Amino acid sequence: MPHRPPQVLTGGVTPGEPDTPAGDPAAVDAVDDHAPRRRGLETAQPSVPIAATVAPTRPDAVPRHDDPLDGIDAWGPADTPAGWFHLVPACIERDLALISRWMNDPAAAEFWELAGPREVTRDHLRAQLAGDGRSVPCLGLLEGVPMSYWEIYRADLDPLARHYPARPHDTGLHLLLGRVADRGRGLGGLLLRAVADLVLAQRPSCARVIAEPDIRNTPSVAAFLTAGFRFSAEADLTAKRAALMVRDRSLRHLL
């Protein structure tokens, strides 16, 4: 029997979440890293407040030509083996304290490079939210509880496109599992697969989902492989040597 979509929390704080201890990067499941490359880019549209209830997934996705990512706020939840998962566009006023706390976990800070006062994270979010919609920062809610930070972006419109043979509407993913209790138990790969499949379902013009974790971040690369991505190449980006990972629409039922 499928899970019933939960009520979505409207607050930006996870109730009862333990204080973040000093993290062990080797234990992190899919901590992606990108901040030096993306900071200062003009990116995403203003966010939409979290709805009181989860809206149903659109059965027939229709491209929105005025929105580079076809309306993430309307994508709805995905049913996963871990429960209902929902991407909700971030709101600085509501979510800054939580996301900044996650970014200051040493396991995240090593690769995201957004540790420090809240203003560091605020500026990173604001650069996307003040842009044209090509990158959208999101909270990931599992059974209604905020537990991860995501960035969904148009890889073909990103500086990344200079480093690989980009195709129109390639869509990129960044993921940070924020809650320490959610790391090291396979959730990274599970949620990466769910979100990649959600992108392909809701963006019919997109044939590939792209990721570029640091080649040194073995847990992250492993999570993408578990999620059905294939390793395509290594790429020398501005601040890292990346593993270019690709999930193809044509192979999504095979990998």
Side-chain angles (χ1 to χ4, degrees), residues 95-131:
D95 304 323
L96 177 59
L98 179 62
I99 297 172
S100 178
R101 177 153 57 91
W102 288 347
M103 291 298 180
N104 276 280
D105 180 338
E110 180 180 5
F111 294 106
W112 283 76
E113 300 186 8
L114 289 173
R118 289 183 183 178
E119 288 75 18
V120 176
T121 300
R122 181 199 62 198
D123 291 347
H124 180 74
L125 295 174
R126 185 174 289 169
Q128 295 176 79
L129 296 171

Coordinates of all heavy atoms in Angstrom, one line a residue, residues 95-131:
D95 N 14.1 29.6 6.1 CA 15.0 28.5 6.1 C 16.4 28.8 6.3 O 17.2 27.8 6.5 CB 14.9 27.8 4.7 CG 13.5 27.4 4.3 OD1 12.7 26.9 5.3 OD2 13.1 27.5 3.2
L96 N 16.8 30.1 6.4 CA 18.2 30.4 6.5 C 18.9 29.8 7.7 O 20.0 29.2 7.6 CB 18.4 31.9 6.5 CG 19.8 32.4 6.7 CD1 20.7 31.9 5.6 CD2 19.8 34.0 6.8
A97 N 18.3 29.8 8.9 CA 18.9 29.3 10.1 C 19.3 27.8 10.0 O 20.3 27.4 10.3 CB 18.1 29.6 11.3
L98 N 18.3 27.1 9.4 CA 18.5 25.6 9.3 C 19.6 25.3 8.3 O 20.5 24.5 8.5 CB 17.2 25.0 8.9 CG 17.2 23.5 8.7 CD1 17.6 22.8 10.0 CD2 15.9 23.0 8.2
I99 N 19.5 25.9 7.1 CA 20.5 25.6 6.1 C 21.9 26.1 6.5 O 22.9 25.4 6.2 CB 20.1 26.3 4.7 CG1 18.7 25.7 4.2 CG2 21.1 26.1 3.7 CD1 18.1 26.4 3.0
S100 N 22.0 27.2 7.1 CA 23.3 27.7 7.6 C 23.9 26.7 8.6 O 25.1 26.5 8.6 CB 23.2 29.1 8.2 OG 24.4 29.6 8.7
R101 N 23.0 26.2 9.5 CA 23.5 25.3 10.5 C 24.1 24.0 9.8 O 25.1 23.5 10.2 CB 22.4 24.9 11.5 CG 22.8 23.8 12.5 CD 22.0 24.0 13.8 NE 20.6 23.9 13.5 CZ 19.9 22.8 13.6 NH1 20.5 21.6 13.8 NH2 18.6 22.8 13.4
W102 N 23.4 23.5 8.8 CA 23.9 22.4 8.0 C 25.2 22.7 7.4 O 26.1 21.8 7.3 CB 22.8 22.0 7.0 CG 21.6 21.3 7.6 CD1 21.4 20.8 8.8 CD2 20.4 21.1 6.8 NE1 20.1 20.3 8.9 CE2 19.5 20.5 7.8 CE3 19.9 21.4 5.6 CZ2 18.2 20.1 7.4 CZ3 18.6 21.0 5.2 CH2 17.8 20.4 6.1
M103 N 25.3 23.9 6.8 CA 26.5 24.2 6.1 C 27.7 24.3 7.0 O 28.9 24.3 6.6 CB 26.3 25.5 5.3 CG 25.4 25.5 4.1 SD 25.9 24.3 2.9 CE 24.6 24.5 1.7
N104 N 27.5 24.5 8.3 CA 28.6 24.7 9.3 C 29.0 23.3 9.9 O 29.9 23.3 10.7 CB 28.2 25.6 10.4 CG 28.5 27.1 10.0 OD1 29.6 27.5 10.0 ND2 27.5 27.8 9.5
D105 N 28.3 22.2 9.5 CA 28.8 20.9 9.8 C 30.1 20.7 9.1 O 30.2 20.9 7.9 CB 27.8 19.9 9.4 CG 28.2 18.4 9.7 OD1 29.4 18.2 9.9 OD2 27.3 17.6 9.8
P106 N 31.2 20.3 9.8 CA 32.5 20.2 9.1 C 32.5 19.2 7.9 O 33.2 19.4 6.9 CB 33.4 19.6 10.2 CG 32.8 20.1 11.5 CD 31.4 20.1 11.2
A107 N 31.6 18.2 8.0 CA 31.5 17.2 6.8 C 31.0 17.9 5.6 O 31.3 17.6 4.5 CB 30.6 16.0 7.2
A108 N 30.1 18.9 5.8 CA 29.5 19.6 4.7 C 30.5 20.7 4.2 O 30.7 21.0 3.0 CB 28.2 20.2 5.0
A109 N 31.1 21.4 5.2 CA 31.9 22.6 4.9 C 33.1 22.2 4.1 O 33.6 23.0 3.3 CB 32.4 23.2 6.2
E110 N 33.6 21.0 4.2 CA 34.8 20.6 3.4 C 34.6 20.7 1.9 O 35.5 21.1 1.2 CB 35.2 19.2 3.7 CG 36.4 18.7 2.9 CD 36.9 17.3 3.2 OE1 36.2 16.6 4.0 OE2 37.9 16.9 2.7
F111 N 33.3 20.5 1.5 CA 33.1 20.5 0.0 C 32.2 21.6 -0.4 O 32.4 22.2 -1.5 CB 32.4 19.1 -0.4 CG 33.3 18.0 -0.2 CD1 33.2 17.1 0.8 CD2 34.4 17.8 -1.1 CE1 34.0 16.0 0.9 CE2 35.3 16.7 -1.0 CZ 35.1 15.8 0.1
W112 N 31.3 22.1 0.4 CA 30.4 23.2 0.0 C 31.1 24.5 0.2 O 30.7 25.5 -0.4 CB 29.1 23.1 0.8 CG 28.1 22.1 0.3 CD1 28.2 20.7 0.5 CD2 27.0 22.3 -0.5 NE1 27.2 20.1 -0.1 CE2 26.4 21.0 -0.7 CE3 26.4 23.4 -1.0 CZ2 25.2 20.9 -1.5 CZ3 25.2 23.3 -1.8 CH2 24.7 22.0 -2.0
E113 N 31.9 24.7 1.2 CA 32.7 25.9 1.5 C 31.7 27.1 1.7 O 31.9 28.2 1.3 CB 33.6 26.2 0.3 CG 34.7 25.1 0.1 CD 35.7 25.5 -0.9 OE1 35.7 26.7 -1.4 OE2 36.5 24.6 -1.3
L114 N 30.7 26.8 2.5 CA 29.7 27.8 2.9 C 29.6 28.0 4.4 O 28.7 28.5 5.0 CB 28.3 27.6 2.3 CG 28.2 27.7 0.8 CD1 26.8 27.3 0.4 CD2 28.4 29.2 0.4
A115 N 30.6 27.5 5.1 CA 30.7 27.6 6.6 C 30.9 29.1 7.0 O 31.5 29.8 6.2 CB 31.7 26.7 7.2
G116 N 30.5 29.4 8.2 CA 30.7 30.8 8.6 C 29.4 31.4 9.1 O 28.4 30.7 9.4
P117 N 29.3 32.7 9.3 CA 28.1 33.3 9.8 C 26.9 33.1 8.8 O 27.2 32.8 7.6 CB 28.4 34.8 9.9 CG 29.6 35.0 9.0 CD 30.4 33.7 9.1
R118 N 25.7 33.4 9.2 CA 24.5 33.1 8.4 C 24.6 33.9 7.1 O 24.0 33.5 6.1 CB 23.3 33.4 9.1 CG 23.0 32.4 10.2 CD 21.6 32.7 10.9 NE 21.4 31.8 12.0 CZ 20.3 31.8 12.8 NH1 19.4 32.8 12.6 NH2 20.2 30.9 13.7
E119 N 25.3 35.1 7.1 CA 25.3 35.9 5.9 C 25.9 35.2 4.8 O 25.6 35.5 3.6 CB 26.1 37.2 6.3 CG 25.4 38.2 7.2 CD 25.3 37.7 8.6 OE1 26.2 36.9 9.0 OE2 24.5 38.3 9.4
V120 N 26.9 34.3 5.0 CA 27.5 33.5 3.9 C 26.5 32.7 3.2 O 26.4 32.7 1.9 CB 28.6 32.6 4.5 CG1 29.2 31.8 3.4 CG2 29.7 33.5 5.1
T121 N 25.7 31.9 3.9 CA 24.6 31.1 3.3 C 23.6 32.0 2.7 O 23.0 31.7 1.6 CB 24.0 30.2 4.4 OG1 25.0 29.3 4.9 CG2 22.9 29.4 3.7
R122 N 23.2 33.1 3.4 CA 22.2 34.0 2.9 C 22.6 34.6 1.5 O 21.8 34.6 0.6 CB 22.0 35.2 3.8 CG 20.9 36.2 3.4 CD 21.1 37.5 4.1 NE 22.4 38.1 3.8 CZ 22.9 39.1 4.5 NH1 22.4 39.5 5.6 NH2 24.1 39.6 4.2
D123 N 23.8 35.0 1.4 CA 24.3 35.5 0.1 C 24.3 34.5 -1.0 O 23.9 34.8 -2.2 CB 25.7 36.1 0.2 CG 25.7 37.4 1.1 OD1 24.7 37.9 1.4 OD2 26.8 37.7 1.5
H124 N 24.6 33.2 -0.6 CA 24.6 32.1 -1.6 C 23.1 31.9 -2.1 O 22.9 31.7 -3.3 CB 25.2 30.9 -1.0 CG 25.2 29.7 -1.9 ND1 26.1 29.6 -2.9 CD2 24.4 28.6 -1.9 CE1 25.9 28.4 -3.6 NE2 24.9 27.8 -3.0
L125 N 22.2 31.8 -1.2 CA 20.8 31.6 -1.5 C 20.2 32.8 -2.3 O 19.6 32.6 -3.3 CB 19.9 31.4 -0.3 CG 20.2 30.2 0.6 CD1 19.4 30.2 1.8 CD2 19.9 28.9 -0.2
R126 N 20.6 34.0 -1.9 CA 20.1 35.2 -2.5 C 20.5 35.3 -4.0 O 19.8 35.8 -4.8 CB 20.5 36.4 -1.7 CG 19.9 37.8 -2.2 CD 20.3 38.9 -1.3 NE 19.5 38.8 0.0 CZ 19.8 39.5 1.1 NH1 20.8 40.4 1.0 NH2 19.1 39.4 2.2
A127 N 21.8 34.9 -4.3 CA 22.3 35.0 -5.6 C 21.4 34.1 -6.6 O 21.2 34.5 -7.7 CB 23.7 34.5 -5.7
Q128 N 20.9 33.0 -6.1 CA 20.0 32.2 -6.9 C 18.6 32.8 -6.9 O 18.0 32.9 -8.0 CB 19.9 30.8 -6.3 CG 21.3 30.1 -6.4 CD 21.2 28.7 -5.7 OE1 20.7 27.7 -6.3 NE2 21.7 28.6 -4.5
L129 N 18.1 33.2 -5.8 CA 16.7 33.6 -5.7 C 16.5 34.9 -6.5 O 15.3 35.3 -6.8 CB 16.3 33.8 -4.3 CG 16.3 32.4 -3.5 CD1 16.0 32.7 -2.0 CD2 15.2 31.5 -4.0
A130 N 17.5 35.7 -6.7 CA 17.4 37.0 -7.4 C 17.6 36.8 -8.9 O 17.6 37.8 -9.6 CB 18.4 38.0 -6.9
G131 N 17.8 35.6 -9.3 CA 18.2 35.3 -10.7 C 16.9 35.1 -11.6 O 15.8 35.5 -11.3

